[in-house]
Structure formats: structure tokens, C-alpha cells
């Protein structure tokens, strides 16, 4: 009996001592053991590139001295009264349809773009196209715009998808093999757009840099010629180039100053730099078989040069490039 009580007491004392020891260990662990490292959450992701970006750009033939008199266009005839187009002409067919089909894009701010508030398509090229519609219908709003990429312009004219293309389209001898052009309605200069912090001040600074350009434009060959080790990224629209520049996916954009001015107007951290890399005479593209439409268009352009409308359109959209004292003077051929 005594032995049982002694063993029970001993067991109770041992259990109590163990509990005290365990409590001491746990208490010491809570006070002295450092917490495991816990870094803040992080994620690494690249900016998505616009659809259709290509870095596999073949070397194009440099812009050569034009073998033809590329900027000379057909002499205009007398302008008919709006709404009274001569029978069996291209203009008469357009009038009977009820609207002028114009190819352009909506990614070139100040040139042709969709206003985010009104939803309407506006810009320098848009207003030039509306003057052609005014000449046919007496109403500048009788226009249906067809959105084209730069490399779709010629085919759209050849297959009749559009009546005219007014889309910063440079007149070249190669293009004249496939389509016709009006006289020059604007003369642009190819320059460079870059971030203000980039350190790029001219074409020499593009060596080894990534340069963005739209496919189907003459800008690509000129950069390849001047800076052979520049890396060219091509995209569908100039708006894609602006996005890639803002996301640091390219170092610069190079094309006509009128297009670059529209990009610079959208972002205070980018600017146009350097001297002109070459002149780009813009013409209105027309189907090669529609000579009457070429002469009519040239008559409209002659009219807006002389009555001040061209200056109104320029000052409305492109005055950021500085004053223009006269529009491009036309060259004609029979």
C-alpha cells in the first residue's frame, strides 16, 4: 500500500517536472528563435508587343534617284459643277453610288485618326479627301472611309475597294508602275522620334538601336541604308510604333515628320530629333485606269491651293511643324 502511494507520487512529480521543462522550452523558442525570411511578393512580366510585329526584316533596296519624273501628274481639266458630273466618267459612277470610297488609316494622329470623344475620323488627310467629295457632291461628308494598312493601299486601288487613297502615300516610280497619283499635296521630311531621355539626337545615334517602322513604307530602306546595323521592327500601323516606344521595346521611330508630329503631340516625354533623312512627296493614289479621276483630283487640288483652303487645313492640323508659306507647287504632264 505504501509502495503504491510512493510510486504514484513519484510519477506525478515527474510528469509535473516534464511539463514545466516543456513550457520553458516553448517559452524560450518564442522569445529567441528568429522568424524565417519572408520577401515581399514580386512578379516579372514583359510588356506585350502589338499584334503582327516582325523583326525578320529583309534588307530593302535603298531609295534611288527616281528614274522617272515621279511627281508630274496629268494636267487638270475644267472642273464640273458639283452634282453635275460628266456622263460615263469615274466621277459620275461615284456620284450615282452616293459616296466617295476613301482608303486611309486611323492610327496617325493629326493626319487621320478617330476622335475618342466624337468617334469621327479626322485629320489633315481626312480634310483633303473631303474636298474631293465636295467637288463631286457639293457635300464634303459624302465619304465612306475604308481602313487600310500601308501595305494594303495599292491592292485596294487595283481591285476597286476604294476610289482614292489619301494616306501619307509617297509618290515613287515603282508605285507608278501599278497605280496613278495626283500632284503632290504635301511634302514631308523623314526624321526620328525618340524619348527625351534616350540620348539619341540624330541618325548617327541609331547604330545598334531598335527602330520601328510600318510595313510597306519607304522609311525602312532609308534607315537600312544610313544605319546598316540598326535593328528594324516592323508593325501594321504607326500607332503600334508609338506604343512600343513608350514601353521601351524600341529606341526610336523613323518616318515622315507629319506622322511623328502626331505621335509627339500625344506624349510630352517624346520628341522629334535630327535633320531630314529625305523628302517624301505625298500624292493621292488613284486606279491607273481612271485618268479622268486623276485630272479631276488635280483640279480640286489646284482649287484649294489658290483659294486658301489648303492653308486652312494645314493650320488646323499641322501648325505644330511651323508655318508653311505655300503648298507644294504642282508639276504637270499631258
Amino acid at each position: 500500500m505504501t509502495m503504491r502511494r510512493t510510486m504514484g507520487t513519484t510519477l506525478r512529480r515527474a510528469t509535473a517536472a516534464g511539463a514545466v521543462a516543456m513550457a520553458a522550452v516553448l517559452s524560450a523558442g518564442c522569445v529567441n528563435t528568429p522568424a524565417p525570411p519572408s520577401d515581399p511578393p514580386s512578379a516579372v512580366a514583359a510588356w506585350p508587343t502589338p499584334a503582327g510585329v516582325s523583326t525578320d526584316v529583309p534588307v530593302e533596296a535603298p531609295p534611288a534617284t527616281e528614274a522617272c519624273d515621279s511627281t508630274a501628274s496629268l494636267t487638270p481639266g475644267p472642273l464640273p459643277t458639283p452634282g453635275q458630273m460628266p456622263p460615263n466618267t469615274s466621277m459620275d459612277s461615284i456620284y450615282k453610288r452616293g459616296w466617295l470610297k476613301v482608303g486611309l488609316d486611323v492610327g496617325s494622329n493629326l493626319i487621320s485618326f478617330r476622335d475618342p470623344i466624337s468617334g469621327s475620323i479626322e485629320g489633315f488627310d481626312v480634310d483633303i479627301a473631303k474636298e474631293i467629295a465636295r467637288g463631286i457632291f457639293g457635300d464634303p461628308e459624302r465619304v465612306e472611309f475604308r481602313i487600310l494598312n500601308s501595305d494594303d493601299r495599292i491592292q485596294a486601288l487595283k481591285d476597286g475597294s476604294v476610289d482614292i487613297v489619301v494616306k501619307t502615300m509617297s509618290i515613287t516610280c515603282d508605285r507608278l508602275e501599278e497605280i496613278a497619283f495626283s500632284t503632290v499635296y504635301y511634302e514631308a521630311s523623314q526624321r526620328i522620334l525618340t524619348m527625351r531621355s534616350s540620348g539619341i539626337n540624330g541618325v548617327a545615334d541609331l547604330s545598334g538601336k531598335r527602330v520601328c517602322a510600318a510595313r510597306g513604307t519607304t522609311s525602312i530602306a532609308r534607315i537600312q541604308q544610313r544605319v546598316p546595323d540598326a535593328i528594324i521592327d516592323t508593325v501594321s500601323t504607326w500607332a503600334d510604333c508609338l506604343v512600343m516606344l513608350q514601353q521601351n521595346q524600341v529606341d526610336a521611330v523613323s518616318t515622315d515628320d507629319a506622322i511623328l508630329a502626331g505621335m509627339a503631340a500625344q506624349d510630352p516625354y517624346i520628341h522629334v530629333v535630327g535633320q531630314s533623312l529625305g523628302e517624301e512627296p505625298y500624292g493621292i493614289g488613284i486606279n491607273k485606269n481612271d485618268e479622268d479621276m486623276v485630272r479631276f483630283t488635280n483640279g480640286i487640288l489646284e482649287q484649294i491651293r489658290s483659294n486658301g483652303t489648303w492653308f486652312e487645313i494645314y493650320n488646323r492640323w499641322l501648325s505644330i511643324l511651323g508655318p508653311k508659306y505655300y503648298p507644294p507647287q504642282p508639276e504637270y504632264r499631258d
Side-chain angles (χ1 to χ4, degrees), residues 29-51:
C30 290
V31 173
N32 296 323
T33 303
S38 179
D39 297 328
S42 63
V44 178
W47 288 103
T49 57

Side-chain angles (χ1 to χ4, degrees), residues 52-73:
V53 175
S54 174
T55 56
D56 185 20
V57 182
V59 176
E60 299 185 8
T65 301
E66 295 291 348
C68 69
D69 189 3
S70 60
T71 57
S73 187

Side-chain angles (χ1 to χ4, degrees), residues 111 166 179:
I111 298 295
V166 193
I179 62 172

Side-chain angles (χ1 to χ4, degrees), residues 301-320:
L301 293 177
E302 188 67 46
Q303 182 179 76
I304 67 173
R305 291 186 193 101
S306 60
N307 67 12
T309 301
W310 188 94
F311 291 99
E312 292 174 7
I313 296 172
Y314 177 87
N315 289 332
R316 185 179 304 131
W317 299 110
L318 299 180
S319 58
I320 189 174

Side-chain angles (χ1 to χ4, degrees), residues 167-247:
K167 187 184 181 300
T168 61
M169 195 172 187
S170 299
I171 306 171
T172 68
C173 292
D174 287 343
R175 287 173 177 167
L176 283 168
E177 293 292 322
E178 300 185 82
I179 62 172
F181 279 101
S182 70
T183 54
V184 179
Y185 71 91
Y186 183 80
E187 188 162 77
S189 297
Q190 183 175 343
R191 296 181 65 191
I192 298 163
L193 183 78
T194 188
M195 303 298 294
R196 292 182 182 274
S197 59
S198 70
I200 296 173
N201 296 303
V203 67
D205 298 321
L206 296 181
S207 178
K209 304 293 187 182
R210 302 194 79 91
V211 182
C212 187
R215 280 186 290 277
T217 62
T218 57
S219 306
I220 298 169
R222 190 170 281 121
I223 287 295
Q224 290 174 329
Q225 179 190 30
R226 297 286 294 272
V227 194
D229 64 339
I231 304 164
I232 309 296
D233 287 5
T234 61
V235 293
S236 297
T237 71
W238 290 113
D240 291 339
C241 277
L242 174 60
V243 170
M244 293 183 71
L245 180 64
Q246 292 171 322
Q247 295 178 168

Side-chain angles (χ1 to χ4, degrees), residues 4-334:
R4 288 178 180 172
R5 283 199 295 268
T6 301
M7 290 178 66
T9 300
T10 300
L11 286 171
R12 285 194 296 272
R13 287 174 178 171
T15 301
V20 170
M22 181 62 70
V25 170
L26 292 173
S27 175
C30 290
V31 173
N32 296 323
T33 303
S38 179
D39 297 328
S42 63
V44 178
W47 288 103
T49 57
V53 175
S54 174
T55 56
D56 185 20
V57 182
V59 176
E60 299 185 8
T65 301
E66 295 291 348
C68 69
D69 189 3
S70 60
T71 57
S73 187
L74 296 176
T75 304
L79 281 178
T81 302
Q84 300 179 23
M85 297 297 103
N88 303 316
T89 62
S90 301
M91 300 80 73
D92 187 45
S93 297
I94 294 168
Y95 181 78
K96 289 176 178 176
R97 181 201 304 142
W99 62 88
L100 176 70
K101 296 185 294 185
V102 178
L104 45 61
D105 74 5
V106 290
S108 300
N109 194 43
L110 303 182
I111 298 295
S112 54
F113 65 103
R114 191 177 297 279
D115 183 270
I117 298 175
S118 68
S120 60
I121 298 175
E122 301 180 350
F124 182 86
D125 278 357
V126 175
D127 283 359
I128 293 291
K130 286 183 176 182
E131 292 303 314
I132 310 298
R134 189 196 302 275
I136 296 175
F137 301 102
D139 180 357
E141 301 303 323
R142 298 282 286 273
V143 178
E144 178 184 279
F145 294 115
R146 303 284 180 92
I147 311 307
L148 302 175
N149 294 326
S150 292
D151 50 356
D152 295 332
R153 297 175 293 191
I154 290 176
Q155 185 57 44
L157 286 169
K158 293 172 72 172
D159 65 22
S161 299
V162 296
D163 301 310
I164 60 174
V165 167
V166 193
K167 187 184 181 300
T168 61
M169 195 172 187
S170 299
I171 306 171
T172 68
C173 292
D174 287 343
R175 287 173 177 167
L176 283 168
E177 293 292 322
E178 300 185 82
I179 62 172
F181 279 101
S182 70
T183 54
V184 179
Y185 71 91
Y186 183 80
E187 188 162 77
S189 297
Q190 183 175 343
R191 296 181 65 191
I192 298 163
L193 183 78
T194 188
M195 303 298 294
R196 292 182 182 274
S197 59
S198 70
I200 296 173
N201 296 303
V203 67
D205 298 321
L206 296 181
S207 178
K209 304 293 187 182
R210 302 194 79 91
V211 182
C212 187
R215 280 186 290 277
T217 62
T218 57
S219 306
I220 298 169
R222 190 170 281 121
I223 287 295
Q224 290 174 329
Q225 179 190 30
R226 297 286 294 272
V227 194
D229 64 339
I231 304 164
I232 309 296
D233 287 5
T234 61
V235 293
S236 297
T237 71
W238 290 113
D240 291 339
C241 277
L242 174 60
V243 170
M244 293 183 71
L245 180 64
Q246 292 171 322
Q247 295 178 168
N248 294 317
Q249 294 167 321
V250 295
D251 301 293
V253 180
S254 184
T255 189
D256 308 343
D257 55 1
I259 298 173
L260 298 181
M263 297 184 197
Q266 299 176 68
D267 190 332
Y269 296 101
I270 61 180
H271 64 163
V272 180
V273 300
Q275 300 298 313
S276 172
L277 305 183
E279 302 304 314
E280 298 290 346
Y282 292 170
I284 296 173
I286 303 168
N287 187 291
K288 199 169 185 177
N289 296 323
D290 297 340
E291 288 193 4
D292 53 357
M293 188 64 182
V294 176
R295 294 185 189 277
F296 176 83
T297 300
N298 285 340
I300 296 295
L301 293 177
E302 188 67 46
Q303 182 179 76
I304 67 173
R305 291 186 193 101
S306 60
N307 67 12
T309 301
W310 188 94
F311 291 99
E312 292 174 7
I313 296 172
Y314 177 87
N315 289 332
R316 185 179 304 131
W317 299 110
L318 299 180
S319 58
I320 189 174
L321 294 172
K324 287 283 186 182
Y325 302 104
Y326 54 85
Q329 297 304 296
E331 296 181 45
Y332 294 120
R333 59 180 174 81
D334 292 334

